[in-house]
Amino acid sequence: MRIGIDVGGTNLKAGLVDEEGNILTVCRTPVGRFTDGQDFAKVLAELALKAAAQGGVRPGKIIGVGIGIPGAVREGQVLYTCNLPLRDVPLADWFRETLDVPVRLGNDADCAAVGEALRGAGRGIRNFLLVTLGTGIGAGLILDGKLHTGCGMAGEVGHMVTHFGGRLCTCGRKGCWEQYASATGLIRRTEEEMEAFPRSLLHTVARENGAVDGRTTFQAAERGDPAAVHLCREYAEELGCGLVNLINLLHPERVAIGGGVAAAPESLLLQPLREIVTRESYARHGGVIPAVVRAQMGNDAGIVGAALLDRAVRE
Amino acid sequence: MRIGIDVGGTNLKAGLVDEEGNILTVCRTPVGRFTDGQDFAKVLAELALKAAAQGGVRPGKIIGVGIGIPGAVREGQVLYTCNLPLRDVPLADWFRETLDVPVRLGNDADCAAVGEALRGAGRGIRNFLLVTLGTGIGAGLILDGKLHTGCGMAGEVGHMVTHFGGRLCTCGRKGCWEQYASATGLIRRTEEEMEAFPRSLLHTVARENGAVDGRTTFQAAERGDPAAVHLCREYAEELGCGLVNLINLLHPERVAIGGGVAAAPESLLLQPLREIVTRESYARHGGVIPAVVRAQMGNDAGIVGAALLDRAVRE
């Protein structure tokens, strides 16, 4: 048995996962506030033990633990995280002070890609990308059947400039893809369109949902609102631009799109994306045009991928 | 002994290469005009035999041939080339009708990267990119120690959009990196600056060299011309933008820049590029900042890489 841990912005989740990648049980706890990496490692290890106990598995039967971190990791060290006070800390070693089993750290987007590659949208695909749309844009790159991490921080696709000199990104660059094509980017454009079109159905939909979110535009477009239809098209072009960049660079066989925005109706997101990929990929000159699909596993991908990270890593 | 063949725009070159990657002898012939892929394969095979003979090696001692093609290849097939009438042809099989040895095809930028990885600027580096500045921008990606080709057409980095909605590219997309950062892009901007600044030293330098080329701006900048100094800076920013994109995606340990433009003075090209990479790479958050270096092997890289392609391919 294995444990996969997903360190999210608000919750920590530990799942008991079997060798086939089935999640048997999951334990959750809020991230809470902590100032000390060693305490944090202990919380994670205790959560892992709790998940094992909940699944009726003795600690001695756990053969490995994987931890997905929202940041950069390298060989058991957390180098950097966006939201947690962990920098250059030996998290794996500290974890083993409470639960002494092999521990592997991974970036959270990488873990999700591994999960999808083993059990979801990328099953059996040798060159596969998972692109996740959220606050930013994350990705995990499965290249020649294994996870590519380079010197540790590969896959930061959100910080690929598509608009030279454009909008300032949190990373310090100008014109990063995620400023235009993340869920956050879409929400900002939705708000701008609402400002510009006071009579648009966008207002009605936002009121019904209680807020503007990543679904607002798609829902208003489905009800025929012209501003929303236009914005959906614009958003697909922004998202498609970066996807084709990735395809021209890496030429995967399949790209899966994850995150809440990916739940949008096929006709408003995946179908336009496929048209853009077919129109613009360099591979249209006689090569394989990659398939664009929805991710399948949602939040489970990160837990399964963390637990089975071993399988995807090239030694 | 091995043979590496470089199919260029104007010349075909076949080099006799030993197992250590030393070029023992090279034969050249103009590409000429041909309409039939089978004839072309025969010309290549005869050139290979000529190189072997010139090096005093019997055909039976040739254990393998590699052919670098300016286009897309897959498993012995040429899928597509930019300048030659080869489309979906079994070039390797046809080649073997004249010289029956194992034949491997590679993209020319990929072959050059393999050459540099084995014998040049990327020696001993597990994650290494060669970016070549010419008419367009080509690249070869050495990831986890092997050449990454994806579904056959990976590495088309020139066709990564950095200027959304920008200048129309030959590939059909708008705003591709190579429109701004290739040698051709630099020459176009040099001509624009000459038009805008009739008294700039750019005119003097161009007259001395007989034409505007990829060196004009750097030479005028070395002589203190303000328009040229400004253009060098602008060009470094354009080139650096795409380099940082590649670094954020793949996190290599080293990136080598090849092509004539890369011969520019350190202070005007490589030094500014290193500053941009240090300033903008996501890896500055605690990870390894990739080194930016000049390619070392020039045109030999393609021959050596083609000959030793076997070593770099992941089966």
Side-chain angles (χ1 to χ4, degrees):
Chain A
M1 286 296 173
R2 293 163 181 270
I3 301 282
I5 300 181
D6 179 23
V7 176
T10 45
N11 282 303
L12 307 174
K13 284 181 282 184
L16 182 68
V17 176
D18 68 17
E19 290 301 307
E20 281 70 48
N22 300 300
I23 298 181
L24 306 178
T25 180
V26 174
C27 288
R28 276 177 191 75
T29 188
V31 172
R33 285 202 202 151
F34 69 95
T35 49
D36 181 306
Q38 246 170 316
D39 286 350
F40 185 65
K42 198 173 170 211
V43 169
L44 294 181
E46 284 167 354
L47 193 66
L49 286 168
K50 194 173 154 198
Q54 191 171 297
V57 169
R58 282 181 297 112
K61 293 282 181 192
I62 300 171
I63 63 168
V65 172
I67 309 176
I69 301 282
V73 301
R74 199 174 190 186
E75 291 165 15
Q77 295 258 335
V78 176
L79 301 178
Y80 166 80
T81 58
C82 305
N83 306 310
L84 301 168
L86 298 173
R87 197 175 178 109
D88 294 321
V89 299
L91 192 70
D93 284 348
W94 288 342
F95 184 101
R96 277 193 294 263
E97 290 174 9
T98 304
L99 174 57
D100 190 17
V101 294
V103 176
R104 202 178 267 283
L105 305 187
N107 168 270
D108 55 355
D110 286 346
C111 290
V114 170
E116 290 283 350
L118 293 173
R119 295 276 299 182
R123 223 165 164 164
I125 305 291
R126 195 170 154 86
N127 285 286
F128 168 71
L129 314 182
L130 173 68
V131 174
T132 304
L133 310 171
T135 312
I137 304 183
L141 317 176
I142 306 293
L143 303 181
D144 288 333
K146 297 285 180 183
L147 181 65
H148 176 72
T149 55
C151 290
M153 291 168 95
E156 290 295 344
V157 301
H159 303 294
M160 159 175 70
V161 165
T162 50
H163 292 247
F164 187 88
R167 180 176 281 271
L168 184 65
C169 186
T170 51
C171 82
R173 303 189 80 191
K174 285 183 178 170
C176 284
W177 187 32
E178 70 177 41
Q179 289 299 314
Y180 303 86
S182 63
T184 311
L186 175 60
I187 291 167
R188 195 190 54 246
R189 284 290 296 125
T190 307
E191 288 167 345
E192 286 171 5
E193 291 295 271
M194 289 169 72
E195 185 99 9
F197 300 99
R199 289 160 58 180
S200 155
L201 276 179
L202 287 165
H203 295 274
T204 317
V205 172
R207 226 174 5 251
E208 286 169 10
N209 291 347
V212 178
D213 62 24
R215 298 166 303 168
T216 310
T217 306
F218 297 108
Q219 289 170 352
E222 278 194 298
R223 284 153 73 169
D225 181 67
V229 168
H230 179 266
L231 183 54
C232 287
R233 186 70 218 172
E234 173 193 303
Y235 178 69
E237 290 290 343
E238 294 285 0
L239 186 53
C241 172
L243 283 186
V244 174
N245 282 359
L246 298 179
I247 288 168
N248 286 352
L249 256 59
L250 298 172
H251 203 186
E253 185 179 341
R254 191 179 292 175
V255 180
I257 313 290
V261 171
E266 285 262 331
S267 62
L268 294 176
L269 190 65
L270 287 184
Q271 207 43 54
L273 283 177
R274 289 180 191 125
E275 286 165 25
I276 293 164
V277 164
T278 304
R279 183 184 82 207
E280 298 205 4
S281 295
Y282 201 78
R284 75 183 181 286
H285 298 300
V288 175
I289 306 252
V292 179
V293 303
R294 217 175 253 146
Q296 293 176 359
M297 296 173 69
N299 295 327
D300 287 353
I303 292 173
V304 173
L308 300 181
L309 207 47
D310 282 0
R311 305 251 180 98
V313 174
R314 182 168 278 127
E315 301 299 346
Chain B
M1 286 295 173
R2 293 163 181 270
I3 301 282
I5 300 180
D6 180 23
V7 176
T10 44
N11 282 303
L12 307 175
K13 284 181 282 185
L16 182 68
V17 177
D18 69 17
E19 291 300 308
E20 282 70 50
N22 299 300
I23 298 181
L24 306 179
T25 181
V26 174
C27 288
R28 278 179 190 73
T29 188
V31 171
R33 285 201 202 152
F34 68 94
T35 49
D36 181 307
Q38 246 169 316
D39 286 350
F40 184 66
K42 200 174 169 208
V43 169
L44 294 181
E46 283 167 354
L47 193 67
L49 285 168
K50 194 173 154 198
Q54 191 170 296
V57 169
R58 283 181 296 113
K61 292 282 181 193
I62 300 170
I63 62 169
V65 173
I67 309 175
I69 301 282
V73 301
R74 199 175 190 187
E75 290 165 15
Q77 295 257 336
V78 176
L79 300 177
Y80 166 80
T81 57
C82 305
N83 305 313
L84 301 167
L86 299 173
R87 198 176 179 110
D88 294 321
V89 300
L91 192 72
D93 285 348
W94 288 342
F95 184 101
R96 277 194 295 264
E97 289 174 10
T98 303
L99 174 57
D100 190 16
V101 294
V103 176
R104 202 180 267 284
L105 306 187
N107 169 269
D108 55 356
D110 286 346
C111 290
V114 170
E116 290 283 350
L118 293 173
R119 293 278 300 182
R123 224 163 164 165
I125 306 290
R126 193 170 155 86
N127 285 284
F128 168 72
L129 314 183
L130 173 67
V131 174
T132 304
L133 309 171
T135 313
I137 304 182
L141 317 175
I142 306 293
L143 304 181
D144 287 334
K146 296 285 180 182
L147 180 65
H148 176 72
T149 57
C151 290
M153 290 166 95
E156 291 294 345
V157 301
H159 303 294
M160 159 175 70
V161 166
T162 50
H163 292 247
F164 187 89
R167 179 176 280 271
L168 185 64
C169 185
T170 51
C171 80
R173 302 188 82 191
K174 284 184 180 169
C176 283
W177 187 33
E178 70 176 43
Q179 289 299 314
Y180 303 86
S182 63
T184 311
L186 175 60
I187 291 168
R188 194 189 55 245
R189 283 291 296 125
T190 307
E191 289 167 344
E192 287 170 4
E193 291 295 272
M194 289 169 71
E195 185 99 9
F197 300 99
R199 290 162 57 181
S200 156
L201 276 179
L202 288 164
H203 294 273
T204 318
V205 172
R207 226 176 2 253
E208 286 169 11
N209 290 347
V212 178
D213 61 25
R215 297 166 304 168
T216 310
T217 306
F218 298 107
Q219 289 171 352
E222 279 195 297
R223 285 152 73 169
D225 181 67
V229 168
H230 179 266
L231 183 52
C232 287
R233 186 71 218 171
E234 173 192 302
Y235 179 69
E237 290 289 342
E238 294 284 2
L239 186 53
C241 173
L243 283 186
V244 175
N245 282 358
L246 298 179
I247 288 168
N248 286 353
L249 257 57
L250 298 172
H251 202 185
E253 186 179 340
R254 190 179 294 175
V255 180
I257 313 290
V261 171
E266 285 263 330
S267 62
L268 294 176
L269 190 64
L270 286 185
Q271 208 43 55
L273 283 178
R274 288 179 192 126
E275 286 165 25
I276 294 164
V277 164
T278 304
R279 182 183 83 207
E280 299 206 4
S281 294
Y282 201 78
R284 76 183 178 286
H285 297 301
V288 175
I289 306 252
V292 179
V293 302
R294 218 175 252 147
Q296 294 175 357
M297 297 173 67
N299 295 327
D300 287 353
I303 292 173
V304 173
L308 301 180
L309 206 46
D310 283 1
R311 305 250 180 99
V313 174
R314 183 168 275 128
E315 301 299 345

